[in-house]
Amino acid sequence: MNFKKILIYILSAAVLLVPDLIIASKLTFVAFILTFTYKVFLLLAIGSLFLYFTKSYFKSYLIVGGFYLFSSFSEIIISILFKEYSTLDHIKALFFIRTNEIEEFTKTFYIYAFIPILIAVLYFVLLWLSKKMTYQKRGRTLIVSALLFISSIFISGILLSQTPFSFSGKNLTKYTFKTYFLKQHPFSFYYRTYEFVLTRKRYNQYSKKKEDFKFNVSNNALDSIRPETVVFVIGERARAQNWTINGYNKETSPNLNKFTNLITFKNNHSNAATTAGSIPLILTQATPKTHELVYSQKTIVTLFKEANYKTYWISNQFIFDYIEHDKEPDVFINLFKNKNHTDLDVIPVFDSIIQLKTNRKKLIVVNLAGGHGKVPEEFHKFKAFDSPQEKLVNKDNRTLLVNEYDNMIFLQDFVLGKLISSTAKQKKSSFLIYTADHGTNLFDDNHTNIFGYGSSNPTEKETNVPLFIWSSDQFINQYREKYSSLQRHQNFLTTNDNLFYTLADMAEIKYEGYKSNLSISSSSYIEPTLRLLYLNGSYKTYTRDTE
């Protein structure tokens, strides 16, 4: 191989892998070298494969380079602005972009547009140079391509072994393929576009049905006696066992412990082990067995709107990749747009809504950042890592990892305490329900080495999530039977599939399809003998024997 070819290969890698260079620049030196090496190997493997079939440097570079280049146009901008590859949300934003947003973007970030243009110019120069290169058939071209592919996969496996996901219990082959190939340059743009097309197809398939959907609330004559305020809080990555109120031996929930009207359901389980799977099932009547209802029915928000409630949604984490219902509430408040947001930011916003004088009753939905958010330093109650750079996820560091997690629970307790106190101060008939989308593993089992959530065989730690129901004195006096039913059922098996019906029942809302036997606050509640978990497009059944 002559010097000219080597130089073109080097320049090609530099030109076509710009997004990878930008993102890898924030890594440690070793991680940077490994990342760039496997990216180069992948590029050369694909190039060698096309070279074998086209027998032309020009044609192979035209095809492979064009594939990389087209993806780079968006990836370069995204990697500079967000330090990440394309996500489904980015593709959605691109698809639904408005004229004023284009004008705002070009005014603010116009300088970045020159980078893709420069890359394109360099690409065409290299394409022209490749036209002068002649291919001499070599039988080993295909072997070289295969070896480069294998090397690329091997290095990505090394990178995976240095992350918490290597302990997640997930199918690591599938996870490596999706995380290090499909969701990274050059495939991420095309893969995320494919995801977008699928979600739009599914959305459009049911959009008319969803648009016309009504719960047909049947007892609005009871509007005057319904609770004045209903608060539904959804946490993130919170498991039941790490709360003092559930018997944990560390003081993580001192605020919740003070509320005498708060009932905890220790045997409550999520209906999925990931945010994407769980959130749609929490908000709708869909279950792991009837998941298609996510696309054809509206959420608990619309049910309350039909019952004449003014609805508010305070969002501190973007969950609308998973469920397109951010247009349902009367008022939607986005807190996650602030990069430095924490769950403390929810409190003043919530207070302003709860104190708002209105002649309509209120439903306030709050989704917290929880385990995906930042924990302010004043909540570092338990000794964890001194800095993010020192955080090394392995079993030897379990104590520090658990302490870090418990600090997050400590923050959640503080926020929930404030929300309950603010609601109680109104001295009105009201209640608050808190649960989480899923739990997490923290190297709990001596026989397995699992950290994180979303494993291919979800553990009890991933699904056993907190369920707290607080009721005001006024609510208890008004609905003593419902409160007694909650007390009676607090040790029963419950799942997040029960929450839709429980919210409706506690708010005295009856509608077509309402099932009293699924409401925890109903005397008709029937404890299930098994529970279902949504998993990879299907569902898994857990019985008492498999717990």
Side-chain angles (χ1 to χ4, degrees):
M1 185 181 292
N2 59 38
F3 176 75
K4 184 180 177 181
K5 282 185 180 179
I6 294 173
L7 182 61
I8 289 177
Y9 281 148
I10 294 171
L11 290 174
S12 296
V15 166
L16 298 178
L17 298 179
V18 169
D20 303 299
L21 283 167
I22 294 170
I23 291 176
S25 65
K26 65 181 181 179
L27 302 175
T28 63
F29 177 74
V30 173
F32 174 85
I33 296 298
L34 287 172
T35 299
F36 193 62
T37 301
Y38 102 81
K39 293 290 185 180
V40 171
F41 282 4
L42 178 63
L43 172 61
L44 293 176
I46 297 172
S48 299
L49 185 65
F50 277 88
L51 181 61
Y52 177 82
F53 288 108
T54 63
K55 308 295 189 290
S56 163
Y57 282 102
F58 174 77
K59 289 179 181 178
S60 61
Y61 192 58
L62 178 66
I63 297 168
V64 176
F67 182 81
Y68 270 79
L69 186 69
F70 188 75
S71 172
S72 292
F73 288 150
S74 65
E75 292 289 6
I76 288 171
I77 304 296
I78 291 169
S79 61
I80 291 173
L81 296 180
F82 305 109
K83 299 295 185 291
E84 63 184 2
Y85 294 104
S86 296
T87 65
L88 180 58
D89 188 36
H90 294 140
I91 303 301
K92 280 184 182 179
L94 193 63
F95 185 82
F96 294 113
I97 195 167
R98 296 170 183 157
T99 306
N100 64 321
E101 291 174 322
I102 294 174
E103 291 174 359
E104 181 184 347
F105 181 85
T106 51
K107 286 178 183 177
T108 310
F109 304 111
Y110 68 91
I111 191 70
Y112 297 141
F114 289 109
I115 301 175
I117 293 171
L118 177 61
I119 296 301
V121 170
L122 291 173
Y123 164 74
F124 283 110
V125 170
L126 291 169
L127 184 65
W128 177 73
L129 290 173
S130 69
K131 205 169 185 179
K132 300 179 180 181
M133 295 167 62
T134 56
Y135 173 70
Q136 296 177 347
K137 185 176 180 180
R138 292 185 176 89
R140 65 175 183 270
T141 302
L142 207 56
I143 297 173
V144 169
S145 177
L147 289 173
L148 287 167
F149 266 123
I150 292 169
S151 299
S152 179
I153 294 168
F154 178 75
I155 295 172
S156 65
I158 294 174
L159 288 168
L160 176 66
S161 70
Q162 305 303 310
T163 70
F165 296 103
S166 60
F167 304 103
S168 66
K170 296 178 181 179
N171 182 326
L172 293 185
T173 302
K174 180 180 177 182
Y175 181 82
T176 302
F177 177 67
K178 288 190 75 172
T179 302
Y180 289 92
F181 294 92
L182 283 183
K183 294 183 179 180
Q184 292 194 23
H185 181 64
F187 304 106
S188 53
F189 176 79
Y190 306 104
Y191 176 68
R192 295 302 191 177
T193 302
Y194 166 74
E195 279 188 321
F196 175 72
V197 171
L198 283 185
T199 56
R200 293 312 301 173
K201 182 179 178 182
R202 194 177 292 149
Y203 179 76
N204 292 333
Q205 181 183 350
Y206 290 102
S207 61
K208 180 61 178 169
K209 191 173 182 180
K210 177 177 284 187
E211 186 180 332
D212 297 336
F213 180 82
K214 284 185 172 57
F215 288 101
N216 294 319
V217 173
S218 57
N219 64 339
N220 274 340
L222 298 178
D223 180 55
S224 61
I225 66 168
R226 285 178 179 145
E228 290 291 328
T229 307
V230 176
V231 182
F232 185 31
V233 185
I234 304 171
E236 168 65 56
R237 195 173 155 257
R239 63 188 204 175
Q241 76 174 61
N242 285 62
W243 302 72
T244 316
I245 197 169
N246 283 338
Y248 192 45
N249 60 6
K250 290 160 70 175
E251 193 180 50
T252 55
S253 55
N255 291 288
L256 294 184
N257 289 348
K258 297 173 185 176
F259 294 105
T260 55
N261 293 355
L262 188 144
I263 301 172
T264 178
F265 296 79
K266 298 178 185 178
N267 199 18
N268 184 65
H269 287 264
S270 176
N271 33 29
T274 63
T275 304
S278 178
I279 291 295
L281 300 181
I282 290 176
L283 293 170
T284 68
Q285 292 185 106
T287 70
K289 204 172 186 177
T290 59
H291 190 266
E292 67 280 357
L293 296 181
V294 165
Y295 305 104
S296 60
Q297 292 190 3
K298 293 179 181 177
T299 72
I300 192 72
V301 174
T302 290
L303 176 70
F304 274 75
K305 286 175 76 172
E306 285 190 28
N308 299 321
Y309 276 77
K310 179 77 176 283
T311 56
Y312 304 83
W313 191 315
I314 306 171
S315 184
N316 207 27
Q317 181 188 193
F318 191 80
I319 60 173
F320 301 104
D321 269 352
Y322 314 128
I323 187 165
E324 297 194 8
H325 293 291
D326 52 326
K327 301 297 186 296
E328 280 191 45
D330 296 307
V331 179
F332 177 74
I333 300 163
N334 174 349
L335 297 181
F336 57 80
K337 61 185 176 183
N338 177 3
K339 286 186 178 181
N340 297 315
H341 69 105
T342 74
D343 281 331
L344 292 177
D345 298 330
V346 168
I347 298 169
V349 179
F350 181 87
D351 287 347
S352 66
I353 293 172
I354 204 80
Q355 293 166 15
L356 200 63
K357 303 298 182 185
T358 174
N359 57 1
R360 292 174 64 187
K361 300 175 189 296
K362 300 172 188 170
L363 168 72
I364 307 172
V365 178
V366 181
N367 68 278
L368 299 170
H372 290 332
K374 298 175 183 176
V375 178
E377 195 169 339
E378 62 265 33
F379 291 91
H380 292 187
K381 179 176 182 177
F382 307 102
K383 170 65 178 173
F385 301 94
D386 292 328
S387 67
Q389 291 74 27
E390 291 183 10
K391 183 177 177 179
L392 185 62
V393 177
N394 59 41
K395 207 159 189 175
D396 292 337
N397 281 337
R398 182 178 186 274
T399 299
L400 295 177
L401 291 166
V402 171
N403 284 348
E404 181 183 62
Y405 183 82
D406 289 340
N407 287 335
M408 182 273 293
I409 299 294
F410 187 54
L411 170 63
Q412 302 304 291
D413 167 74
F414 179 83
V415 173
L416 287 172
K418 288 293 186 183
L419 302 190
I420 293 173
S421 295
S422 294
T423 308
K425 282 179 184 177
Q426 304 306 305
K427 297 190 182 302
K428 295 178 180 178
S429 178
S430 55
F431 66 88
L432 178 148
I433 294 180
Y434 168 83
T435 191
D437 55 353
H438 57 78
T440 191
N441 298 294
L442 296 172
F443 293 121
D444 303 283
D445 191 340
N446 291 327
H447 304 293
T448 56
N449 213 21
I450 302 178
F451 182 87
Y453 58 92
S455 61
S456 55
N457 186 28
T459 67
E460 183 263 346
K461 304 292 191 253
E462 292 174 71
T463 64
N464 184 205
V465 293
L467 173 58
F468 307 135
I469 301 181
W470 170 86
S471 307
S472 69
D473 291 335
Q474 293 78 7
F475 177 89
I476 295 171
N477 291 332
Q478 185 178 6
Y479 293 107
R480 197 162 293 279
E481 185 180 342
K482 293 183 190 297
Y483 189 71
S484 296
S485 293
L486 289 171
Q487 290 177 312
R488 190 165 56 253
H489 299 144
Q490 68 182 109
N491 293 318
F492 282 31
L493 171 64
T494 60
T495 75
N496 282 354
D497 288 335
N498 299 124
L499 297 185
F500 194 102
Y501 301 97
T502 303
L503 281 159
D505 182 42
M506 291 184 70
E508 201 61 57
I509 300 174
K510 300 297 184 287
Y511 61 95
E512 288 181 10
Y514 169 73
K515 300 172 184 176
S516 61
N517 63 307
L518 293 179
S519 168
I520 308 168
S521 59
S522 169
S523 58
S524 304
Y525 178 66
I526 299 174
E527 183 179 19
T529 56
L530 51 82
R531 61 183 178 87
L532 305 178
L533 189 78
Y534 185 68
L535 189 65
N536 299 324
S538 185
Y539 64 90
K540 182 175 181 177
T541 303
Y542 288 81
T543 64
R544 294 187 186 280
D545 294 333
T546 58
E547 289 290 346

